[in-house]
Amino acid sequence: MGIDELLERVRAGYERIGPAEAAEAAAAAGALLVDIRYAALRERDGLIPGALVVERNELEWRLDPRGSHRAAEAVGHDLRIVVICNEGYASSLAVASLRQLGLHRATDLTGGFQAWRAAGLPVASPPGA
């Protein structure tokens, strides 16, 4: 199986959401937006206000509600999580991993950060910029 087939299989297991729906989910329903982009992209393009920044290699440890290294926001397996990468590919694989941990409401942003920005949604400059 190649990566395209893997992405298709993973994405068939949940419903992805677009930028406006992600913003609404965070604002109205308390969804946790999680930015997994690496530092150079965040420094270049900015940040989504209110999003939790978690490097991809730390994601499972930071969001597992039973983990000893969990983020304060990782309050339970019923938490609605929207994972955001740069263009919406790595986030799909990250969601598959979170769902294996029992985070059954995890999803990702179709088109990633670039779609968020293109939709005209808020973007903040990174600290020190």
Side-chain angles (χ1 to χ4, degrees):
M1 172 184 331
I3 189 62
D4 292 329
E5 293 87 3
L6 178 60
L7 278 172
E8 187 176 318
R9 183 177 292 179
V10 164
R11 289 171 175 168
Y14 66 95
E15 185 175 333
R16 303 176 81 207
I17 62 175
E21 189 178 354
E24 178 64 22
L32 178 63
L33 303 180
V34 180
D35 186 344
I36 64 168
R37 294 174 301 140
Y38 53 89
L41 289 176
R42 295 190 311 267
E43 291 168 8
R44 181 188 78 189
D45 294 338
L47 303 166
I48 296 173
L52 176 66
V53 174
V54 178
E55 296 284 340
R56 173 62 189 100
N57 64 328
E58 297 178 0
L59 185 68
E60 291 82 359
W61 285 268
R62 303 291 287 147
L63 293 184
D64 180 0
R66 298 186 315 187
S68 59
H69 298 292
R70 72 182 174 276
E73 294 86 349
V75 295
H77 286 93
D78 198 41
L79 179 63
R80 178 72 161 154
I81 297 169
V82 180
V83 181
I84 303 165
C85 67
N86 194 49
E87 295 181 342
Y89 296 99
S91 57
S92 296
L93 299 177
V95 167
S97 182
L98 293 177
R99 286 178 165 253
Q100 288 179 334
L101 288 175
L103 294 159
H104 63 96
R105 296 183 66 209
T107 189
D108 72 324
L109 176 58
T110 304
F113 176 86
Q114 297 305 323
W116 177 279
R117 183 170 62 181
L121 292 165
V123 174
S125 297

